[in-house]
Amino acid sequence: MKIISKLLPFLLLLANLTIAQKKAPSFLYANVTIHIGNGEVIENGMIGVSNGKIDLVETMEAKVGAKYDVTIDGKGKHVYPGFIAPNTRLGLEEIQAVRSTKDYREVGNFNPNIRSIIAYNTDSDVVPTVRSNGVLLAQIVPEGGRISGQSSIVYTEANNWEDAALAFDNCVHLRWPNRVRYTGWWAQKGRAERNKHYNKGLEAIRVYFDAAKAYAQKEHVEQKNLKFETMKTLFAKQKKLIVHAEDAKSMMDAINLLQPYGVELVIQGGTEAWRIADFLKEKEVAVILHDIHQLPRRDDSDVDQPFKTPAILQAKGIKFAFSLNNQGSWNVRNLMFQAGQAVGHGLDKEAALSALTLNTAEILGIEDKVGSLEIGKDATFIIAKGDVLDMRTSIITDAFMAGRKVDLGDKQKELYDKYMDRYNLKD
């Protein structure tokens, strides 16, 4: 009993280690094609990992000074940074049609203090299906109201939400008022109507930001306001403000209204970002594109305009990323194929990969740890056969989070194996 009591603190310490802190064996992956994530590709290369960090990225001709516990021959395979999925409800929603499994929305209109991370469910059956397709990190975003709250960046494998988080509460989300209301239902397009309350919505945002700014400028406050305390971090640029807006005029209104407050803005959605590309470049605003697998918003636009938008933004030098959450959190597993679609419409393939990895990391403020395969960064990457942007050839064989190999199994694979065995259909 005495021995157990002495060991207990040590065991508890081990149990509380985060993903990045857990000790993993050093290893060298050799004879692989390395896609750095910044546009560079190393053919016939090798990547070394020690203490959960990347410490070698070279061609096979280079001399290896460090000794590794394991050397793996990855001939014919490709190494990619782990994909990062922004704007998701992963872990906050289990079954879209069952209300009791949803925990991503709070009541009230202005809730900047809400934290999505404390509701994140690491035991979700949906998350492994996303991880098995190469999405190793995700932004967990609250919804509801005008200011929905704060999002966090999580690993898609962890024991609890504390372990899962790579970055806590680093973005605040503002839902911009809709300028247009569509009267159609389901497949019926319907008529578009102007939102008569649009200007009223803008005024409410202005009034709230004025009050929050005045609070932030006070040296001492008699009673702390939790909502305004969160807003202070925006004005100090300790957190980013992600504005959810789709049409060109709304994005311009948001940028013109909010930038004078000194906040760092990112546009989420950006369906019509191509129409104001020069304006976005001038204002140095990044865009997280939402679901390019859709029809254009305007009748006079090219039918494939959403597919061409990423290439237009790339040509203008605008930093952008891809997101996919239109049909529920389960659909995030198809995120990389959005980028593949854009490649077929003019976007450079390595630029498409950057929009899933390094660009996303830079936009979300985590580029010092993940997003590219560079020395000193966390060894968070995937090993694949074929082109991961093409659903016909993408086969992910292994994945690592901070140097630790993770399970790529999921419930769907278990059911597949179960019934293939039951009816003797396996080779």
Side-chain angles (χ1 to χ4, degrees):
M1 192 67 182
K2 289 182 179 179
I3 294 175
I4 293 175
S5 64
K6 290 180 179 179
L7 286 174
L8 187 58
F10 177 69
L11 294 173
L12 288 173
L13 178 63
L14 287 178
N16 288 324
L17 286 175
T18 65
I19 287 175
Q21 292 171 317
K22 291 179 180 177
K23 177 69 175 176
S26 64
F27 61 91
L28 179 73
Y29 242 105
N31 297 315
V32 290
T33 300
I34 303 172
H35 301 262
I36 303 296
N38 60 3
E40 297 179 23
V41 179
I42 298 177
E43 303 283 352
N44 194 29
M46 53 184 171
I47 181 168
V49 175
S50 299
N51 299 317
K53 301 286 186 181
I54 298 172
D55 64 357
L56 177 73
V57 181
E58 286 287 355
T59 63
M60 288 299 295
E61 288 74 22
K63 293 183 179 180
V64 180
K67 293 182 179 179
Y68 297 93
D69 298 328
V70 180
T71 299
I72 305 164
D73 186 358
K75 188 174 182 180
K77 294 185 178 181
H78 297 254
V79 184
Y80 300 89
F83 301 137
I84 307 168
N87 192 43
T88 78
R89 297 197 297 260
L90 280 174
L92 305 180
E93 170 190 65
E94 195 67 9
I95 303 173
Q96 195 173 8
V98 180
R99 185 177 179 182
S100 60
T101 69
K102 299 179 180 181
D103 192 12
Y104 54 78
R105 184 184 299 268
E106 293 290 341
V107 297
N109 213 25
F110 291 91
N111 294 310
N113 57 310
I114 293 297
R115 305 177 68 215
S116 63
I117 185 63
I118 60 175
Y120 180 65
N121 176 22
T122 55
D123 294 322
S124 167
D125 283 334
V126 178
V127 174
T129 68
V130 171
R131 181 176 67 240
S132 65
N133 233 17
V135 178
L136 303 188
L137 292 153
Q139 182 190 36
I140 309 306
V141 177
E143 295 184 8
R146 187 61 63 212
I147 298 183
S148 306
Q150 303 167 83
S151 61
S152 296
I153 316 298
V154 301
Y155 288 102
T156 52
E157 184 182 73
N159 294 322
N160 51 62
W161 62 264
E162 292 99 332
D163 285 357
L166 174 69
F168 285 99
D169 309 323
N170 68 336
C171 296
V172 177
H173 293 258
L174 168 62
R175 313 278 166 171
W176 200 253
N178 293 321
R179 292 181 60 253
V180 178
R181 185 174 70 90
Y182 294 95
T183 59
W185 179 83
W186 201 243
Q188 298 175 354
K189 187 173 183 180
R191 188 178 70 248
E193 296 179 350
R194 285 186 178 275
N195 178 5
K196 298 177 181 178
H197 304 291
Y198 178 72
N199 289 332
K200 185 178 179 180
L202 266 60
E203 183 60 24
I205 294 172
R206 184 181 291 106
V207 168
Y208 192 83
F209 270 76
D210 283 344
K213 187 75 171 180
Y215 178 92
Q217 291 172 342
K218 291 182 179 179
E219 293 185 7
H220 304 286
V221 291
E222 294 181 4
Q223 187 174 357
K224 282 191 176 182
N225 183 314
L226 293 180
K227 297 183 179 184
F228 286 169
E229 287 292 329
T230 301
M231 296 295 290
K232 281 175 66 174
T233 62
L234 284 177
F235 302 135
K237 294 190 176 181
Q238 296 169 356
K239 298 178 181 180
K240 295 188 179 185
L241 179 64
I242 298 185
V243 180
H244 296 245
E246 298 286 347
D247 67 87
K249 183 65 165 59
S250 292
M251 287 184 276
M252 293 178 72
D253 286 346
I255 293 168
N256 287 331
L257 190 154
L258 297 170
Q259 275 196 339
Y261 290 98
V263 297
E264 188 172 355
L265 282 178
V266 175
I267 294 293
Q268 167 66 52
T271 302
E272 293 187 353
W274 63 278
R275 299 185 67 227
I276 56 168
D278 291 330
F279 177 81
L280 292 170
K281 178 63 177 177
E282 176 191 346
K283 298 296 183 178
E284 298 182 340
V285 175
V287 179
I288 302 174
L289 293 171
H290 172 66
D291 184 18
I292 68 167
H293 282 167
Q294 60 178 313
L295 292 172
R297 293 173 65 91
R298 295 173 177 266
D299 291 338
D300 57 353
S301 296
D302 294 343
V303 70
D304 59 352
Q305 181 57 57
F307 306 152
K308 298 189 294 186
T309 296
I312 293 173
L313 299 185
Q314 178 69 20
K316 292 289 186 178
I318 298 168
K319 188 165 293 181
F320 72 95
F322 293 102
S323 69
L324 181 59
N325 196 27
N326 64 324
Q327 298 173 10
S329 56
W330 62 270
N331 205 29
V332 177
R333 66 187 178 186
N334 294 317
L335 174 66
M336 63 294 305
F337 306 136
Q338 300 271 308
Q341 185 79 50
V343 170
H345 287 77
L347 183 64
D348 176 77
K349 183 174 286 188
E350 293 306 315
L353 177 66
S354 295
L356 295 167
T357 55
L358 184 58
N359 280 11
T360 314
E362 290 175 346
I363 291 171
L364 300 181
I366 53 174
E367 73 278 9
D368 60 325
K369 297 179 180 178
V370 294
S372 60
L373 303 179
E374 298 176 270
I375 293 175
K377 289 193 176 184
D378 291 353
T380 299
F381 55 81
I382 56 177
I383 312 295
K385 296 179 181 177
D387 182 357
V388 290
L389 305 186
D390 188 341
M391 64 178 67
R392 299 168 300 178
T393 62
S394 176
I395 301 175
I396 296 175
T397 61
D398 299 285
F400 298 86
M401 291 181 182
R404 183 176 60 85
K405 191 170 184 178
V406 296
D407 181 17
L408 292 180
D410 58 56
K411 188 173 183 179
Q412 293 175 352
K413 289 179 180 177
E414 291 173 8
L415 291 174
Y416 174 84
D417 291 337
K418 175 181 177 180
Y419 289 103
M420 291 292 281
D421 285 339
R422 177 175 292 182
Y423 299 108
N424 298 316
L425 297 175
K426 281 201 168 185
D427 296 334

